[in-house]
Amino acid sequence: MMFCEQCEQTASGQGCHQWGACGKSPEVNAVQDLLIHLLRGLAPVALRARELGILQPEIDRFTCEAIFATMTNVNFDESRFTTYIRRAIAYREQLKTQIQQLTGVAQTWPAISYYEPDFTDSLAAQGQDLALQFISQSGMNIDIFSLKLTVLYGIKGVASYAFHAQELGQEDDRVYQFCYEALAALERQDLSLQDWVKLALRIGEINLRTMELLDAGHTGTFGHPIPTSVPISPRSGKAILVSGHDLPQLEAVLKQTVGTGITVYTHGELLPAHGYPRLKQTYPHLYGHYGTAWQNQTKEFAKFPGAIVMTTNCLMPPHDNYQDKLFSIGPVGYPGLNYLPNRGNGHPDFTPVIEKALELPGFTETEPLRQVTTGFARNAMLGVADHVIAAIKAGKIRHFFLVGGCDGAKPDRNYYTELVEKVPNDCVVLTLACGKFRFFDKNLGEIEGIPRLLDIGQCNDAYSAIQIAIALANAFEVDVNQLPLSMILSWYEQKAIAVLLTLLYLGIQDIRLGPTLPAFLSSNVLKLLSETYHLKPISTPDADLAACLA
Ligand code: FSO
Ligand code: SF4
């Protein structure tokens, strides 16, 4: 028995109760719940420590990494969660000691901050009890429970982006402070529905700041993306494939493979890496992109003739025919899968990956060149803003469609492919995140030299999309909602929840969301979102296009 409904593929659209549709076992789900319980207990202690000026960046970073590990398709390894659990307790007790030393008085903490599991007994069974407790604490108020889950899942998204940002030296104490506040709030029984709505929107606000930090980290380290053609056809030679979202870890692979003759390919959400000039210029062996979105990895990884590194989600339970050439790093894990821990410099030693790549055949021939284009992030777009504005004013561009978000396995996601195919010729499609793989290689042509399909980047580059929309709105002196722009989004996991909360925080109206609406939103919460923000489910491509263009 388990309870999880944090992602879009949740069983029967209602929650995974027997086994995760993602492959997560009830035991792993329970130890993840146990870890979250401990982080909720750590939060009040960390907040008190902060009040007293005790700042512990190591604990803040640990908290984000541990939360990240509980996201969909990140870590399936019970033993790794046991380590996180032990560390959470150690950090909590360390902070308590520091507080006592500083104040000279013994403090009283909420009960949750004293909790310690019995390590001689099943952690999974204890995690399951705690999960049931969490559910029953919300009493019979299904709407409050729905919002509590929205907060918890939204925080997971924020923590993952904060994890990425800090890897690039970008941190803002307000993000950590808020993560602790939101974790601590999950224990509160006195908050009204409106309070929970406010907290959820505050997640959107903090997530905007977190994505801004990550944007600063990416552009500060690797330069502003520029439109770049990326081969999606392999070339002959030994090969490494890097998947996930982590640019600094991709760079570490590139650095360590200089002079080895190995060609490095990106997979999934790392496609936008090719747009960053400093990566492309420094590492010519960062060659092309292989494969599509995460849910196709079991086929694509099996076929890839080299070693593979999974830097973040979305990891699927690996199949036997490629497990030995797959390596996980950072928060990612699966029992029995090769794991390369970080060294002191924040990066693993990738020697085993290089050795595996050299041992495997690599690509035996160079395929005829096929390319896609990426790198239309905010700087590139704002650089041609005058041109775009002139095309809109001249009636050459009628409408923009932001078709972005995550991909997934469900067949009804074909909606997004069909929609993009049917977008009229005088409209432009902006895209981001892994949902784009449903149409990323389509040639939609150009309008006045402006490509009709523009890849802004990863899911976190929603920040870039927001900046582009704000710049257009300013140029036309209108509100973003008055722009000829429709957002048709696909969601899958908790990063997407955080991004959606950001868009709602910004007051963006009329978002269409699919392929299904989140199971954790109760009917009243959904009603509230549709009344306030006109958030609506996708319907059919024809009907939605007609409505957007009306
Ligand atoms: Fe996709 Fe996975 Fe980037 Fe997600 S690879 S589904 S929203 O992790 O983060 O878009
Ligand atoms: Fe189910 Fe998604 Fe939770 Fe996995 S992460 S157990 S698929 S709801």
Side-chain angles (χ1 to χ4, degrees):
M1 159 54 199
M2 65 186 275
F3 170 73
C4 182
E5 52 179 14
Q6 66 180 1
C7 84
E8 190 272 333
Q9 69 178 350
T10 196
S12 317
Q14 291 180 339
C16 296
H17 300 301
Q18 305 296 330
W19 197 276
C22 58
K24 180 165 71 169
S25 70
E27 288 74 24
V28 172
N29 188 62
V31 290
Q32 289 182 349
D33 286 343
L34 179 51
L35 173 60
I36 292 290
H37 186 83
L38 281 159
L39 296 173
R40 286 168 50 212
L42 168 66
V45 183
L47 286 169
R48 179 73 185 119
R50 288 168 158 265
E51 272 169 22
L52 295 167
I54 305 168
L55 293 179
Q56 288 283 12
E58 184 187 325
I59 300 180
D60 301 336
R61 291 169 196 156
F62 160 79
T63 301
C64 287
E65 181 185 330
I67 296 175
F68 191 1
T70 69
M71 276 182 29
T72 304
N73 287 352
V74 177
N75 201 319
F76 300 80
D77 189 345
E78 223 177 307
S79 68
R80 292 273 300 284
F81 285 103
T82 307
T83 310
Y84 282 129
I85 286 165
R86 286 189 187 278
R87 283 181 69 194
I89 297 167
Y91 283 139
R92 184 190 71 194
E93 295 309 309
Q94 176 194 320
L95 283 177
K96 281 184 185 171
T97 309
Q98 279 180 280
I99 291 168
Q100 181 149 353
Q101 277 166 355
L102 194 76
T103 59
V105 247
Q107 309 275 315
T108 313
W109 302 105
I112 195 168
S113 302
Y114 291 104
Y115 177 79
E116 199 135 339
D118 178 355
F119 285 97
T120 62
D121 210 343
S122 157
L123 290 181
Q126 294 169 75
Q128 210 175 76
D129 288 348
L130 292 168
L132 287 174
Q133 225 180 70
F134 178 64
I135 296 169
S136 61
Q137 259 176 10
S138 304
M140 287 296 111
N141 194 327
I142 188 120
D143 301 320
I144 294 218
F145 185 56
S146 163
L147 286 162
K148 271 190 171 184
L149 290 182
T150 308
V151 166
L152 173 60
Y153 300 158
I155 278 298
K156 291 190 181 196
V158 173
S160 69
Y161 289 144
F163 170 89
H164 285 301
Q166 66 80 22
E167 280 186 318
L168 292 154
Q170 292 289 331
E171 294 177 279
D172 179 341
D173 206 46
R174 283 176 297 163
V175 173
Y176 297 131
Q177 171 81 19
F178 178 76
C179 284
Y180 291 126
E181 283 171 8
L183 283 170
L186 290 170
E187 193 60 4
R188 305 244 328 239
Q189 313 305 328
D190 58 328
L191 299 182
S192 68
L193 191 95
Q194 280 313 320
D195 293 330
W196 284 107
V197 170
K198 260 193 223 149
L199 190 57
L201 292 177
R202 184 104 167 85
I203 291 179
E205 182 185 0
I206 289 292
N207 187 53
L208 181 63
R209 173 68 185 133
T210 316
M211 290 194 297
E212 181 185 30
L213 288 171
L214 184 49
D215 179 278
H218 282 156
T219 55
T221 312
F222 305 117
H224 279 281
I226 47 175
T228 306
S229 295
V230 185
I232 50 170
S233 45
R235 72 179 183 194
S236 161
K238 304 282 183 183
I240 289 176
L241 185 63
V242 187
S243 190
H245 301 73
D246 200 311
L247 293 182
Q249 294 292 23
L250 168 65
E251 189 188 23
V253 172
L254 291 165
K255 224 178 234 168
Q256 294 182 37
T257 46
V258 168
T260 59
I262 294 171
T263 299
V264 175
Y265 295 82
T266 54
H267 180 265
E269 276 279 71
L270 277 173
L271 166 62
H274 296 271
Y276 287 91
R278 270 174 233 155
L279 280 178
K280 277 308 267 188
Q281 285 156 13
T282 320
Y283 308 101
H285 60 302
L286 171 61
Y287 175 68
H289 186 81
Y290 181 89
T292 52
W294 67 269
Q295 76 280 358
N296 300 322
Q297 70 189 248
T298 50
K299 274 191 204 132
E300 293 170 355
F301 288 1
K303 270 173 66 184
F304 188 77
I308 306 161
V309 180
M310 189 52 114
T311 62
T312 65
N313 49 338
C314 284
L315 174 75
M316 294 173 80
H319 289 190
D320 288 348
N321 55 351
Y322 61 83
Q323 175 148 348
D324 68 323
K325 62 182 181 187
L326 177 61
F327 296 80
S328 67
I329 64 170
V332 186
Y334 194 88
L337 183 63
N338 307 301
Y339 178 68
L340 303 177
N342 280 348
R343 298 166 300 173
N345 64 358
H347 302 291
D349 174 359
F350 287 109
T351 305
V353 179
I354 295 168
E355 284 170 356
K356 181 54 80 178
L358 294 174
E359 177 194 317
L360 289 165
F363 290 99
T364 49
E365 56 184 66
T366 301
E367 285 181 16
L369 187 64
R370 284 177 297 124
Q371 303 192 94
V372 294
T373 312
T374 188
F376 293 98
R378 64 188 168 94
N379 203 52
M381 288 298 290
L382 298 183
V384 293
D386 289 348
H387 194 42
V388 173
I389 290 164
I392 299 171
K393 285 189 172 155
K396 305 266 181 200
I397 295 179
R398 179 163 45 136
H399 203 87
F400 290 90
F401 289 90
L402 176 66
V403 188
C406 331
D407 209 350
K410 289 189 182 158
D412 44 3
R413 286 180 180 265
N414 288 335
Y415 163 95
Y416 296 95
T417 321
E418 197 185 326
L419 181 106
V420 167
E421 281 168 355
K422 288 184 167 171
V423 164
N425 287 340
D426 56 357
C427 301
V428 171
V429 176
L430 303 166
T431 190
L432 50 83
C434 63
K436 67 170 154 270
F437 290 110
R438 300 223 160 223
F439 46 80
F440 81 130
D441 53 354
K442 291 199 184 304
N443 183 357
L444 299 190
E446 296 182 345
I447 301 176
E448 303 283 292
I450 302 158
R452 285 190 56 237
L453 179 61
L454 299 163
D455 177 19
I456 299 174
Q458 299 182 330
C459 43
N460 49 287
D461 293 314
Y463 175 76
S464 222
I466 290 165
Q467 298 309 311
I468 294 166
I470 290 174
L472 278 179
N474 289 342
F476 285 96
E477 295 180 347
V478 294
D479 184 60
V480 170
N481 288 314
Q482 293 168 298
L483 284 173
L485 166 70
S486 302
M487 298 199 185
I488 303 185
L489 308 181
S490 51
W491 84 284
Y492 172 63
E493 42 83 339
Q494 299 81 61
K495 287 177 178 174
I497 296 168
V499 173
L500 178 67
L501 292 173
T502 297
L503 296 174
L504 298 182
Y505 157 73
L506 290 168
I508 308 286
Q509 305 262 329
D510 289 310
I511 295 171
R512 286 178 167 73
L513 185 64
T516 51
L517 295 180
F520 57 84
L521 294 180
S522 67
S523 52
N524 279 333
V525 172
L526 261 179
K527 196 163 156 248
L528 189 131
L529 293 179
S530 67
E531 282 171 5
T532 319
Y533 301 101
H534 306 133
L535 178 77
K536 39 183 90 75
I538 56 169
S539 62
T540 65
D542 289 318
D544 287 348
L545 280 173
C548 293
L549 293 169

